Amino acid sequence: MTLRVRDLDESGLLARFVPLLPTGAATLVGPGDDAAVVAAPDGRYVVSTDVLVQDFHFRRHWSTGYDVGVRAAAQNLADVAAMGGRPTALVVGLAMPADLEVTWVEEFARGLADACETTGAAVVGGDLSGGSVLMVSVAVHGDLGGRPPVLRSGARPGDVVAHAGVRGFSAAGFALLDAGVAEPSAGAPGAEGALAPYVAGFLRPAPPLDAGPAAGAGGATAMLDVSDGLLRDAGRVATASGVDIDLDAEALEPYAAALATAADALAPVADAPGRGAGRALEWVLSGGEDHGLLATFPPGAALPDGFRRIGTVRAPAGAPRVTLDGAEPAVGPGWDHFRA
Amino acid sequence: MTLRVRDLDESGLLARFVPLLPTGAATLVGPGDDAAVVAAPDGRYVVSTDVLVQDFHFRRHWSTGYDVGVRAAAQNLADVAAMGGRPTALVVGLAMPADLEVTWVEEFARGLADACETTGAAVVGGDLSGGSVLMVSVAVHGDLGGRPPVLRSGARPGDVVAHAGVRGFSAAGFALLDAGVAEPSAGAPGAEGALAPYVAGFLRPAPPLDAGPAAGAGGATAMLDVSDGLLRDAGRVATASGVDIDLDAEALEPYAAALATAADALAPVADAPGRGAGRALEWVLSGGEDHGLLATFPPGAALPDGFRRIGTVRAPAGAPRVTLDGAEPAVGPGWDHFRA
C-alpha cells in the first residue's frame, strides 16, 4: 500500500524529510527550533525568495519530486549567484495535498540536496503544510565575501556584455514535452539520447553558480539571473542602468547551434507562427528559466571562467532598450506569469 | 469595473504592491534586484518560514487581504521573538488566482506593514506568482543582538515556566465564527463589542514581540512560540529539554477568565463533547495560533515585562511530559495540520 502524507502526522513526516536535507558549514542552529541561526561572517547576507506552484510552474505528470526539488533550489541559488554571492542557507515551505505519496516528499528533499551539493548551502528550516495543490516556496541566503553586491544598475556605456550558462535549453525542453516529441523520461537523471540535455534542462536547470561570485570578484558592473528570457532580462539591466544593451547576433550563434537538435526534432510539428528556422534563435533570445547569468564588465576586463562575450553596452539614444546588431529584435520580449 | 490581477502585468502589480511594504533600517539593498542585502551586525541572523494556504489556514469569506497580511507577518515575527531576537527583514511569496481583486493585494501589503510597524522589520523582497488558490509564504529574519539564541532545549528542573501574550483568543474567535455566533466584521479593525477581541485575535493575532528579546536578555533558559496549543508546545520544550513541565491550574485561571465572554456566547450551541463549562480552559490549554511565548527562567529570576508564571519545570519521572497540577491533563494535545 502506498504511504501517503495523510498517513503520517507532522513529526512523522519531518522524521523522514529532515535527515535527507543538505547541511552546511554556515548553519549555527539547524532545523527543529522556532528558527534557525545562520552565520553572516561579513555582517550582511543576501536573501531572495521564489515560489513554485503546481500547474503554473510544474506539472505533476512531467516533473518528479526530485525534479521539483532541484528546480526550486536551483532557481533560488541562481538569485544569490546573480548578486555575486555564494549560497549558505535555504528555508523551504511545502504545501501538499493529503493524498501525496510520502516518496514524493522524500524525493523532493533529495533534489534539494543534490542541487545544493557543490555549493555548501544547507536547508536550515521550513514549514510543511496541507494544501489543495502542491506549492513550494524557498527563501535562499548567501554570503558576499566582503564584496559589494553586483546590482542591475551598474552597467556603463562601453562595458562588455557577457553571459554564463546555457540559453534556451529549458524552452526547448518544454517545447519537446509540450509537442509530445519527447517524454519526461528522456530527461531523467542519467538518461542518454539526443534530446536528454533539453528535457533535463527544462526539468532540472543547472545555473552556473560559481560564475556569480567569480563575476563579483572579477569586477562585474551589473549582473542578473536570466529567468524570463535574454531580451527581457537584458532590458531590466538596460532600464536599471539607463543604457542600451546591444547584443551581437554572431556571438549568439553558438547558443543557437547548441539547440539545433531540439529544433530539428520539432521541425515536423513546426508550423506555428515564429517557428521553423528561427526557432533556435527565438529560444536563445526569449526562452526563460535556464537561469544563466547576464553580466557586464568594464571594457578590457578579462572575463571570468564560464562567461562569453555576447554584446556591448551603449549610451542610450532615447529610452533604454535592447538591440540585436543595433536594430530592434524581431521576436517577443519573453513571458509574464499572469498572462502566459 | 473591479481591477483584477489579470488586468495588470507583473511590473504593474509590483508598482502598486512594493510602495506599501514596510521599510527598515537593516535593509542595505531592498526590493527590485535579484536579491536583497540585509545587515547582520553580530555576524549571525535568525531565519524561519511559515506558509499560509487558502482554505487550510484562512478562509476568503472570513479574512480580508489585510487580515492575511497581518497574520502572515505576525506568526513569522513570533518565531524570531521566540529565539530571543528582534525581526529585521521579511521576504514574501504570494501565489494568487488571476481573478483576485488588486485591492486584496494592496490590503495584504498594508497588513504586512501594520504588523511590522513597531518592530523595525522591512519587507525586502518577494515573488508574485499565479496560483489556483491564494497562498502566502513568508521567511522572516532577525537579529540576536549578540546574545545566544534561546532554544527549546535549555529548561532545567526547578526553572519557572512563564508565558507572555494571550491564550485561547484565536481558538475562541474561530469557534464563534464557525458557530455563526459572530460575523468576521465583529473583529474588523476598530470594531467594538464584547466579542471583538476574540474574533480579532483569530483574524489578526498580535504576538508579544518585545517579550522575546526581553526574555533572552533576562536569562530565559528555553523558549518557544505557542502556535499549536499550550500543552502540545509545552510538550516540545519538555521533550527537547528532557524534563517534565508542570502547569499550575490556578495560575491559568486568569487566562480562562479572559475567555468567559466568548464561552458564554457559545453556551447556547455548546452541546458537543468537551464543550460547556470546560470550554474556556480547553481553549487555554489546547487553542493554537495566538503566538504567545512560553519560556522558562532560572528559579528566582525576575520575570521580564509581559511574562506571567504558569508552572514549574520538574525532573522527569519517565518520558518527558506535561502535567497539570501534577496529573495528566484531561484534554487533547492540540491539533495537526495534516489530520485536523
Side-chain angles (χ1 to χ4, degrees), chain B residues 139-190:
Chain B
V140 66
H141 305 81
D143 173 46
L144 291 167
R147 289 187 304 273
V150 184
L151 306 181
R152 300 176 176 187
S153 52
R156 294 293 168 259
D159 282 357
V160 171
V161 178
H163 181 271
V166 300
R167 285 254 49 78
F169 276 57
S170 180
F174 174 85
L176 290 165
L177 293 175
D178 195 46
V181 171
E183 294 297 315
S185 59

Coordinates of all heavy atoms in Angstrom, one line a residue, chain B residues 139-190:
Chain B
A139 N 9.3 34.3 4.8 CA 10.5 34.0 5.5 C 10.9 35.2 6.3 O 10.9 36.3 5.8 CB 11.7 33.5 4.6
V140 N 11.2 35.0 7.6 CA 11.5 36.1 8.5 C 12.9 36.0 9.0 O 13.4 34.9 9.1 CB 10.5 36.1 9.6 CG1 10.7 34.9 10.5 CG2 10.5 37.4 10.5
H141 N 13.5 37.2 9.2 CA 14.9 37.2 9.7 C 15.0 38.1 10.9 O 14.3 39.1 11.0 CB 15.8 37.7 8.5 CG 15.6 36.9 7.3 ND1 14.6 37.1 6.4 CD2 16.3 35.9 6.8 CE1 14.7 36.3 5.4 NE2 15.7 35.5 5.6
G142 N 15.9 37.8 11.8 CA 16.1 38.6 12.9 C 17.5 38.7 13.5 O 18.4 37.9 13.0
D143 N 17.7 39.6 14.4 CA 19.0 39.9 15.0 C 18.9 39.5 16.4 O 18.0 39.9 17.2 CB 19.2 41.4 14.8 CG 20.5 41.8 15.5 OD1 21.5 41.1 15.4 OD2 20.4 42.9 16.2
L144 N 20.0 38.8 16.9 CA 20.0 38.3 18.3 C 20.7 39.3 19.2 O 20.9 39.1 20.4 CB 20.7 37.0 18.4 CG 19.9 35.8 17.7 CD1 20.8 34.6 17.6 CD2 18.7 35.5 18.6
G145 N 21.2 40.4 18.7 CA 21.8 41.5 19.5 C 23.1 41.0 20.3 O 23.3 41.4 21.4
G146 N 23.8 40.0 19.7 CA 25.0 39.5 20.3 C 24.7 38.4 21.4 O 25.7 37.8 21.9
R147 N 23.5 38.1 21.7 CA 23.2 37.1 22.7 C 23.0 35.7 22.0 O 22.7 35.6 20.9 CB 21.8 37.4 23.4 CG 21.9 38.6 24.3 CD 20.5 38.7 25.1 NE 19.4 38.8 24.2 CZ 18.9 39.9 23.6 NH1 19.5 41.1 23.9 NH2 17.9 39.9 22.8
P148 N 23.2 34.7 22.8 CA 22.9 33.3 22.3 C 21.4 33.2 22.0 O 20.6 33.8 22.7 CB 23.3 32.4 23.4 CG 24.0 33.2 24.4 CD 23.7 34.6 24.2
P149 N 21.1 32.4 21.0 CA 19.6 32.1 20.8 C 19.0 31.4 22.0 O 19.7 30.6 22.6 CB 19.6 31.3 19.5 CG 20.9 30.6 19.5 CD 21.9 31.6 20.1
V150 N 17.8 31.6 22.2 CA 17.1 30.9 23.3 C 16.4 29.7 22.6 O 15.4 29.8 21.9 CB 16.0 31.7 24.0 CG1 15.4 30.9 25.2 CG2 16.7 33.0 24.6
L151 N 16.9 28.5 22.9 CA 16.4 27.2 22.2 C 15.3 26.6 23.1 O 15.0 27.1 24.2 CB 17.6 26.3 22.0 CG 18.8 26.9 21.3 CD1 19.9 25.8 21.1 CD2 18.3 27.4 19.9
R152 N 14.8 25.5 22.6 CA 13.7 24.8 23.3 C 14.4 23.8 24.3 O 13.6 23.3 25.2 CB 12.9 24.0 22.3 CG 12.2 24.8 21.3 CD 11.4 24.0 20.3 NE 10.7 24.8 19.4 CZ 9.8 24.4 18.5 NH1 9.6 23.1 18.4 NH2 9.2 25.2 17.7
S153 N 15.6 23.6 24.2 CA 16.3 22.5 24.9 C 16.9 22.9 26.2 O 17.6 22.0 26.8 CB 17.3 21.9 24.0 OG 18.2 22.9 23.5
G154 N 16.8 24.1 26.7 CA 17.6 24.6 27.8 C 16.9 24.6 29.2 O 17.4 25.0 30.2
A155 N 15.6 24.1 29.2 CA 14.9 24.1 30.5 C 15.5 23.1 31.5 O 15.8 22.0 31.1 CB 13.4 23.8 30.3
R156 N 15.6 23.5 32.8 CA 16.2 22.7 33.8 C 15.3 22.5 35.0 O 14.5 23.4 35.3 CB 17.5 23.3 34.3 CG 18.6 23.4 33.2 CD 19.1 22.0 32.8 NE 19.9 22.0 31.6 CZ 19.5 21.6 30.4 NH1 18.3 21.3 30.1 NH2 20.4 21.7 29.3
P157 N 15.3 21.4 35.6 CA 14.4 21.2 36.8 C 14.5 22.3 37.8 O 15.7 22.7 38.1 CB 14.8 19.8 37.4 CG 15.4 19.1 36.2 CD 16.1 20.1 35.3
G158 N 13.4 22.8 38.3 CA 13.4 23.9 39.2 C 13.1 25.2 38.5 O 12.7 26.2 39.1
D159 N 13.3 25.3 37.2 CA 13.0 26.6 36.4 C 11.6 26.9 36.5 O 10.7 26.1 36.7 CB 13.4 26.4 34.9 CG 14.9 26.5 34.6 OD1 15.7 26.8 35.6 OD2 15.2 26.3 33.4
V160 N 11.3 28.2 36.5 CA 10.0 28.7 36.4 C 9.5 28.7 35.0 O 10.2 29.1 34.1 CB 9.9 30.2 36.9 CG1 8.6 30.8 36.7 CG2 10.3 30.2 38.4
V161 N 8.2 28.2 34.8 CA 7.6 28.2 33.5 C 6.7 29.5 33.4 O 5.9 29.7 34.3 CB 6.7 27.0 33.3 CG1 6.0 27.1 31.9 CG2 7.6 25.7 33.4
A162 N 6.9 30.3 32.4 CA 6.2 31.6 32.3 C 5.7 31.7 30.8 O 6.1 31.1 29.9 CB 7.1 32.7 32.6
H163 N 4.7 32.6 30.7 CA 4.0 32.8 29.4 C 3.8 34.3 29.2 O 3.4 35.0 30.2 CB 2.7 32.1 29.4 CG 1.9 32.2 28.1 ND1 1.0 33.3 27.9 CD2 2.0 31.5 27.0 CE1 0.6 33.1 26.7 NE2 1.1 32.1 26.1
A164 N 4.0 34.7 28.0 CA 3.6 36.1 27.6 C 2.6 36.1 26.5 O 2.7 35.2 25.6 CB 4.9 36.9 27.2
G165 N 1.7 37.0 26.5 CA 0.6 37.1 25.5 C -0.7 36.5 25.9 O -0.8 36.0 27.0
V166 N -1.6 36.5 25.0 CA -3.0 35.9 25.3 C -3.0 34.4 25.0 O -2.1 33.9 24.3 CB -4.1 36.6 24.5 CG1 -4.1 38.1 24.8 CG2 -3.9 36.4 23.0
R167 N -4.0 33.8 25.6 CA -4.2 32.3 25.4 C -5.6 32.1 25.0 O -6.5 32.6 25.7 CB -3.9 31.5 26.7 CG -2.5 31.3 27.1 CD -1.9 29.9 26.8 NE -2.3 29.5 25.4 CZ -1.6 29.9 24.3 NH1 -0.6 30.7 24.4 NH2 -2.0 29.5 23.1
G168 N -5.8 31.4 23.9 CA -7.2 30.9 23.6 C -8.0 31.9 22.8 O -9.1 31.5 22.4
F169 N -7.6 33.1 22.6 CA -8.4 34.1 21.9 C -8.6 33.7 20.5 O -9.7 33.8 19.9 CB -7.7 35.5 21.9 CG -8.0 36.3 23.2 CD1 -7.7 35.8 24.4 CD2 -8.6 37.5 23.1 CE1 -8.0 36.5 25.6 CE2 -8.9 38.2 24.2 CZ -8.6 37.7 25.5
S170 N -7.5 33.1 19.8 CA -7.7 32.7 18.4 C -8.7 31.5 18.3 O -9.6 31.5 17.5 CB -6.3 32.3 17.9 OG -6.5 31.9 16.5
A171 N -8.5 30.6 19.2 CA -9.5 29.4 19.2 C -10.9 29.9 19.5 O -11.8 29.4 18.9 CB -9.0 28.4 20.3
A172 N -11.1 30.8 20.5 CA -12.4 31.3 20.8 C -13.0 32.0 19.6 O -14.2 31.8 19.2 CB -12.3 32.2 22.0
G173 N -12.2 32.9 19.0 CA -12.7 33.6 17.8 C -13.1 32.6 16.7 O -14.1 32.8 16.0
F174 N -12.3 31.6 16.4 CA -12.6 30.6 15.4 C -13.9 29.9 15.8 O -14.8 29.8 14.9 CB -11.5 29.6 15.3 CG -11.8 28.4 14.4 CD1 -11.6 28.5 13.0 CD2 -12.4 27.3 14.9 CE1 -12.0 27.5 12.1 CE2 -12.8 26.2 14.0 CZ -12.6 26.4 12.6
A175 N -14.1 29.6 17.0 CA -15.3 28.9 17.4 C -16.5 29.8 17.2 O -17.6 29.3 16.8 CB -15.2 28.4 18.9
L176 N -16.4 31.1 17.6 CA -17.5 32.0 17.4 C -17.9 32.1 15.9 O -19.1 32.2 15.6 CB -17.1 33.4 18.0 CG -17.0 33.4 19.5 CD1 -16.2 34.7 19.9 CD2 -18.3 33.4 20.2
L177 N -16.9 32.2 15.1 CA -17.2 32.4 13.6 C -17.8 31.1 13.1 O -18.7 31.0 12.3 CB -15.9 32.7 12.8 CG -15.3 34.1 13.1 CD1 -14.0 34.3 12.4 CD2 -16.3 35.2 12.6
D178 N -17.2 29.9 13.5 CA -17.6 28.6 13.0 C -19.0 28.3 13.4 O -19.7 27.7 12.6 CB -16.6 27.6 13.5 CG -16.7 26.3 12.8 OD1 -16.7 26.3 11.5 OD2 -16.8 25.2 13.5
A179 N -19.4 28.8 14.6 CA -20.8 28.5 15.0 C -21.8 29.6 14.5 O -23.0 29.4 14.7 CB -20.8 28.5 16.6
G180 N -21.2 30.6 13.8 CA -22.1 31.6 13.3 C -22.6 32.6 14.4 O -23.5 33.4 14.2
V181 N -22.0 32.5 15.6 CA -22.4 33.4 16.7 C -21.8 34.8 16.5 O -22.3 35.8 17.0 CB -21.9 32.7 18.1 CG1 -22.0 33.7 19.2 CG2 -22.6 31.4 18.3
A182 N -20.7 34.9 15.8 CA -20.2 36.2 15.4 C -19.9 36.2 13.9 O -19.6 35.1 13.3 CB -18.9 36.5 16.2
E183 N -19.9 37.4 13.4 CA -19.5 37.6 12.0 C -18.1 38.1 11.9 O -17.6 38.8 12.9 CB -20.4 38.6 11.3 CG -21.9 38.2 11.2 CD -22.0 37.0 10.3 OE1 -21.4 37.0 9.2 OE2 -22.7 36.0 10.7
P184 N -17.4 37.9 10.8 CA -16.0 38.4 10.7 C -15.9 39.9 11.0 O -15.0 40.4 11.6 CB -15.6 38.1 9.3 CG -16.4 36.9 8.9 CD -17.7 37.1 9.7
S185 N -17.0 40.7 10.6 CA -17.0 42.1 10.8 C -16.9 42.5 12.3 O -16.4 43.6 12.6 CB -18.2 42.7 10.2 OG -19.4 42.2 10.8
A186 N -17.3 41.6 13.2 CA -17.2 41.8 14.6 C -15.7 42.0 15.1 O -15.5 42.5 16.1 CB -17.8 40.7 15.4
G187 N -14.8 41.5 14.2 CA -13.4 41.6 14.6 C -12.6 42.5 13.7 O -11.4 42.5 13.7
A188 N -13.3 43.3 12.9 CA -12.6 44.2 12.0 C -11.8 45.3 12.8 O -12.2 45.5 13.9 CB -13.7 44.9 11.1
P189 N -10.8 45.8 12.2 CA -10.0 46.8 12.9 C -10.9 47.9 13.4 O -11.8 48.5 12.7 CB -9.0 47.4 11.8 CG -8.9 46.3 10.9 CD -10.3 45.6 10.8
G190 N -10.8 48.2 14.7 CA -11.6 49.3 15.3 C -13.0 48.9 15.8 O -13.7 49.6 16.4

